[in-house]
């Protein structure tokens, strides 16, 4: 199968689309812009969810669930205080009922009826959640509220791509309420750090932590913290954001509390989220022209075993050995699949698991039975070795850690070699045309300059990096004085 | 707090509604018929999800995700083959867009635009899933497909009640495709058994397994397997259903495959689901006038520790002891909460955990420190005992098992003492007016009789029990001959 994959050099975008479909991760659905996440893709999302959920809970958060619909008037309340908040939305205007309320027997479907108040399908849940928090918060004793929600959201995107930008996507959204500004800022920073740790340690993707410029902030946020990753085609991808929302949403929904001093004040807020978009980042960071490459910590199975046999007798003997091997590996917490399908040849199986990015492949043939060995192949380096069964558990354990680490380092090298320091606009444009990646350049701090650079180059300021070095310089575009460099890039 | 709870005897329905809200499980939202599931309620759902998901995977199923929207024409295709399938639905007719596609700067919101094809918010996903399976299935080698989805669904219910019937609810829906009728029937039966095991072993709710009559079947199903539970007010609650769908959906969406003999045939289907409604069943089965009673296997925390102190010094010493206790219990996999809030008195804490149904409460006071004991209280029986700390781990472990078991037995006794054998329609009506519960009666097998009984008594046939005893009798309503008794009840 992998032979048919378009190469990255030939057409990166086509390579990505083909890979997502051929590796059985997702596909387009009958609904414009909505995807079907197939079992193999969904298994990656489940692994990501499990880790993130654990990290959220360890940092004191609880899960809850709020309605998918937001009455239109709540949106309007919000827009006054968080202008531009309204996203591209799907709007429910009608409902239909059955004439028989018991659902039994033959039914007539009534004509549709118009809703008194139209409902927006949530593009994000600040409005419905802050409207709810209003009733939960009276005093500082009710704070903080540290809630996360796993949910589907809908944004009416006109140009969609599997995982990267879809009309419906899955995500988590944290919404916290605090008694003080300092506490809310600390929370927003904490969660951006949680995201960075997750993306680096589990996805093996290096990220740059930073803050967004005012124009790139989430509408309603006073500060947007973000993590930015670099894809193999040199485009940046925003992997997660965490917003310090100040008192904007509390004001929009009139959420006040009595503080320790007995005075009424508005509540301080944060929100933060990552989505199935991360699967797009995972694919684009590590995969190659032969298919997916998955970091062991997120692979649906870390090891696949393929039997090589010519007779039923051999198949039985190999199966017995394979089951022993699996038992040993599973005891170590390593997830394994034994592909004992008799309908497919080993070559087809090899191609499938290469395409699907299984970190380690074990092949067992008649020779291996004689020698008490297996053939062990690494997906990331494509290297192979024979390993004595007595050494297998140890070798696999070590290799899985090595692969996780090697993927990170490879991506880090790539990222670091794609940050270019640029000091004039000619070089800026030339860099973007040739090498791409992040451009580190001085900027005069105005939204106007940012906008002009974007119009002329399609590059945006991805972030002002955390702990950014201060240095005197002049804006790459206007020549006005600047105190620090920021990171520009074209982005997904 | 619990003092304010309406008693079950006074007004069962009011008791339920108050309990859900006061125990912090859920509340109504700003959206008609949609609920907010609060952290404590959601934690129960997470525990249920974890167990069910494990059971689904152990029986060979994988998770996936399909779009929330279903194009209207797919619904119409379906209705031809599964008449009456269309549920009360919310319909998306419009979208709105921003005029600035970059989301930056000041935005104007465009007027809404009408969709070319209206989208139904999924009430269940057969249509979108079978329309997708069509492309996945060509040969018997592609079968079976064993997929489950965790999702939100929307049914435009006019009368809603928290958990029991809400416009939006959370559920799982399994959708499987098979090469043979026998295999599909086996799957539908298997999943009904999985549900029964889960509800009995984890929720401590006894269920009667059976099949629905034709009128009560899911539209499009050839057989609906179900599990029926009995609530404390004597009304039945359908806790889960599993449908053998025959080839109806394959025909509606033209899903054919080449079988082993090389002939084209339609694919055989099942679907099965349970929802957040189960939380309603959990509440109504075990709880009492003081509040929730939770089976240990689903309690968000199984043990709560409340310190009883008068001085800061005592508080510190008790906290130290409590942390030791927690460490020991957590090592055994027992979930604990130490309520060290200094803003609330012990009495308020006791009332809260009683209301919230925490299975075991440990109180530690200065006397306990002297004696190296704790006071241990059971929520279900309200009994208390002093336990030596050296014995605590063992006692708690044993008690949690005992409680899980005791709740089941209590519910089973109640259920079994509320099945009444009735042989004439006068007794039938009298039973329903006085004692309520299940009525075991002969029925002539016609939908007409079923409908008349329903109109006159509000009782429906809940199921024809599995392995039902055959006996000659006459229909309780028409006097016509009958071969077996079926179970009637009023139901949620």
């Amino acid at each position: 199968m992998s032979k048919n994959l378009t190469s990255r050099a030939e057409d990166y975008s086509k390579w990505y689309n083909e890979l997502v479909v051929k590796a059985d991760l997702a596909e387009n659905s009958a609904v414009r812009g909505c995807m079907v996440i197939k079992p193999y893709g969904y298994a990656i999302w489940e692994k990501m969810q499990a880790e993130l959920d654990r990290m959220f809970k360890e940092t004191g958060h609880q899960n809850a669930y709020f309605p998918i619909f937001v009455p239109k008037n709540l949106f309007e309340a919000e827009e006054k205080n968080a202008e531009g908040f309204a996203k591209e939305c799907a709007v429910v205007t009608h409902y239909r009922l059955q004439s028989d309320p018991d659902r039994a027997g033959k039914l007539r479907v009534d004509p549709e009826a118009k809703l008194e108040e139209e409902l927006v399908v949530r593009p994000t849940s600040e409005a419905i959640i802050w409207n709810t928090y209003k009733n939960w918060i009276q005093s500082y004793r009710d704070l903080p509220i540290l809630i996360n929600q796993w949910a589907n959201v809908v944004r009416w995107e006109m140009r969609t791509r599997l995982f990267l930008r879809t009309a419906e996507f899955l995500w988590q959204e944290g919404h916290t309420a605090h008694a003080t500004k300092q506490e809310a800022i600390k929370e927003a920073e904490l969660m951006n750090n949680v995201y960075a740790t997750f993306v680096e340690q589990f996805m093996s993707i290096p990220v740059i932590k930073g803050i967004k410029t005012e124009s790139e902030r989430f509408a309603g946020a006073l500060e947007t913290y973000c993590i930015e990753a670099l894809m193999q085609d040199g485009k940046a991808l925003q992997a997660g954001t965490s917003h310090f929302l100040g008192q904007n949403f509390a004001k929009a929904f009139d959420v006040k509390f009595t503080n320790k001093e007995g005075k009424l004040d508005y509540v301080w807020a944060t929100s933060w989220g990552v989505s199935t978009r991360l699967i797009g980042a995972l694919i684009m960071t590590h995969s190659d022209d032969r298919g997916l490459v998955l970091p062991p910590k997120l692979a649906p199975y870390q090891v696949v075993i393929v039997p090589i046999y010519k007779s039923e007798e051999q198949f039985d003997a190999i199966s017995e050995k394979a089951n022993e091997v699996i038992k040993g590996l599973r005891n170590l917490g390593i997830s394994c699949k034994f592909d004992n399908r008799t309908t497919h040849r080993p070559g087809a199986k090899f191609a499938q698991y290469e395409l699907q990015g299984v970190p380690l492949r074990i092949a067992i043939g008649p020779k291996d039975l004689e020698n008490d060995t297996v053939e062990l192949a690494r997906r990331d380096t494509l290297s192979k070795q024979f390993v004595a069964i007595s050494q297998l558990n140890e070798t696999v354990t070590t290799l899985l850690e090595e692969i996780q680490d090697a993927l990170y380092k490879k991506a880090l090298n790539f990222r670091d070699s794609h940050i270019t320091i640029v000091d004039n606009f000619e070089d800026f444009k030339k860099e973007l045309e040739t090498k791409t990646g992040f451009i580190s350049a001085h900027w005069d701090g105005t939204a106007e300059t940012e906008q002009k650079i974007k119009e002329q180059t399609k590059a945006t300021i991805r972030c002002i990096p955390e702990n950014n070095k201060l240095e005197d310089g002049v804006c790459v575009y206007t020549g006005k004085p600047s105190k620090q460099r920021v990171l520009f890039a074209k982005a997904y």
Side-chain angles (χ1 to χ4, degrees), chain A:
Chain A
M1 289 192 275
S2 59
K3 284 173 204 152
N4 300 325
L5 204 58
T6 299
S7 76
R8 287 164 294 173
E10 201 182 324
D11 187 336
Y12 189 84
S13 176
K14 201 171 165 198
W15 165 81
Y16 174 81
N17 292 336
E18 281 181 13
L19 180 50
V20 170
V21 172
K22 290 191 178 187
D24 253 354
L25 297 172
E27 64 182 38
N28 286 307
S29 77
V31 188
R32 202 194 61 78
C34 292
M35 65 180 161
V36 172
I37 308 180
K38 298 180 81 173
Y40 195 65
Y42 198 83
I44 297 174
W45 180 240
E46 285 184 298
K47 295 231 162 197
M48 292 168 70
Q49 281 189 299
E51 288 305 333
L52 284 166
D53 199 68
R54 184 185 54 73
M55 292 170 94
F56 297 158
K57 283 174 179 158
E58 275 177 7
T59 46
H61 302 86
Q62 292 180 298
N63 290 328
Y65 189 77
F66 295 84
I68 186 170
F69 297 129
V70 185
K72 220 174 183 181
N73 71 326
L74 292 190
F75 257 88
E76 282 151 13
E78 189 173 60
E79 277 172 38
K80 281 179 209 149
N81 286 273
E83 198 178 2
F85 177 80
K87 298 267 174 339
E88 303 86 345
C89 297
V91 186
V92 177
T93 55
H94 288 70
Y95 62 93
R96 59 176 184 174
L97 290 177
Q98 295 175 168
S99 49
D100 178 347
D102 294 315
R103 300 190 193 168
K106 199 170 175 178
L107 302 175
R108 274 186 310 112
V109 174
D110 277 346
E112 283 167 11
K114 200 160 165 28
L115 292 176
E116 274 179 40
E117 174 158 32
E118 295 182 0
L119 300 172
V120 174
V121 182
R122 64 180 164 218
T124 178
S125 301
E126 276 80 1
I128 189 82
I129 287 181
W130 278 88
N131 184 61
T132 307
Y133 281 178
K134 181 181 166 58
N135 303 318
W136 294 2
I137 301 168
Q138 275 87 43
S139 138
Y140 71 93
R141 285 185 205 87
D142 302 320
L143 297 171
I145 294 179
L146 304 172
I147 284 184
N148 174 61
Q149 163 171 279
W150 291 97
N152 54 342
V153 287
V154 171
R155 296 181 188 177
W156 210 258
E157 306 282 359
M158 288 322 254
R159 280 183 222 153
T160 60
R161 291 187 70 189
L162 292 166
F163 291 120
L164 295 171
R165 193 175 288 273
T166 46
E168 181 193 20
F169 57 87
L170 304 183
W171 79 345
Q172 60 67 220
E173 47 182 324
H175 295 275
T176 69
H178 305 268
T180 68
K181 180 179 176 178
Q182 293 71 21
E183 195 185 293
I185 290 175
K186 213 173 136 194
E187 166 79 8
E189 288 173 348
L190 171 71
M191 298 322 288
N192 200 49
N193 287 335
V194 163
Y195 289 152
T197 302
F198 170 74
V199 173
E200 297 202 327
Q201 293 185 4
F202 289 86
M203 300 181 70
S204 290
I205 302 177
V207 294
I208 294 170
K209 287 192 277 186
I211 55 170
K212 289 287 181 190
T213 61
E214 200 182 335
S215 343
E216 294 283 336
R217 270 180 212 146
F218 178 66
L222 299 189
E223 196 80 274
T224 288
Y225 300 85
C226 63
I227 50 172
E228 293 285 326
L230 194 67
M231 303 297 102
Q232 290 182 64
D233 63 346
K235 282 169 83 174
L237 186 144
Q238 175 181 297
T241 48
S242 179
H243 314 288
F244 166 56
L245 300 170
Q247 296 173 311
N248 285 338
F249 284 89
K251 283 175 184 164
F253 294 99
D254 195 32
V255 189
K256 288 180 194 156
F257 74 108
T258 310
N259 65 19
K260 278 188 181 165
E261 290 73 39
K263 284 186 186 157
L264 265 186
D265 193 7
Y266 286 107
V267 175
W268 299 86
T270 83
S271 68
W272 28 275
V274 297
S275 73
T276 36
R277 182 164 220 240
L278 283 180
I279 300 177
L282 189 71
I283 297 164
M284 288 202 294
T285 301
H286 304 302
S287 302
D288 62 24
D289 292 346
R290 306 170 82 96
L292 267 185
V293 175
L294 291 174
K297 286 185 184 171
L298 297 180
Y301 30 88
Q302 299 169 310
V303 177
V304 63
I305 302 178
V306 177
I308 320 281
Y309 59 96
K310 281 181 179 147
S311 68
E312 206 169 312
E313 202 184 351
Q314 282 179 357
F315 178 77
D316 291 343
I318 292 169
S319 295
E320 199 179 315
K321 183 60 79 179
N323 286 323
E324 269 174 46
V325 165
I326 285 175
K327 207 176 154 188
L329 293 173
R330 285 199 182 143
N331 278 342
L332 297 168
I334 295 164
S335 55
C336 303
K337 177 181 171 176
F338 177 36
D339 186 347
N340 59 1
R341 289 177 297 172
T342 53
T343 43
H344 293 67
R345 282 168 311 126
K349 293 178 184 178
F350 282 21
Q352 180 190 336
Y353 299 117
E354 197 167 84
L355 187 58
Q356 293 195 307
V358 180
L360 289 174
R361 183 189 72 217
I362 290 173
I364 310 180
K367 277 270 181 223
D368 293 306
L369 288 187
E370 278 172 35
N371 304 335
D372 226 21
T373 57
V374 301
E375 188 199 59
L376 186 61
R378 258 176 89 152
R379 172 61 185 89
D380 62 333
T381 57
L382 302 172
S383 62
K384 291 180 197 171
Q385 58 178 309
F386 284 96
V387 180
I389 291 214
S390 59
Q391 295 297 310
L392 188 61
N393 285 353
E394 203 188 317
T395 309
V396 167
T397 305
T398 309
L399 274 183
L400 289 175
E401 281 168 25
E402 245 179 76
I403 295 169
Q404 185 80 29
D405 200 42
L407 291 181
Y408 180 78
K409 284 192 181 132
K410 194 178 165 191
L412 183 65
N413 282 339
F414 177 84
R415 199 272 312 275
D416 285 348
S417 65
H418 285 77
I419 303 179
T420 311
I421 291 175
V422 163
D423 286 317
N424 66 68
F425 201 55
E426 284 314 302
D427 288 353
F428 190 105
K429 285 189 287 189
K430 204 159 59 188
E431 275 302 324
L432 278 175
E433 274 159 26
T434 52
K435 202 177 158 201
T436 73
F438 287 116
I439 293 179
S440 176
H442 277 282
W443 161 63
D444 66 14
T446 70
E448 200 189 343
T449 300
E450 202 179 350
Q451 183 64 24
K452 281 187 180 153
I453 293 175
K454 185 174 166 182
E455 281 164 12
Q456 289 174 42
T457 67
K458 289 186 182 158
T460 50
I461 301 179
R462 302 316 303 155
C463 73
I464 304 165
E466 189 183 73
N467 303 321
N468 209 14
K469 200 177 70 181
L470 294 185
E471 61 168 46
D472 285 322
V474 295
C475 174
V476 78
Y477 187 79
T478 60
K480 287 183 188 161
S482 151
K483 293 279 179 206
Q484 61 180 349
R485 291 177 183 273
V486 297
L487 288 180
F488 288 87
K490 290 186 196 167
Y492 278 95

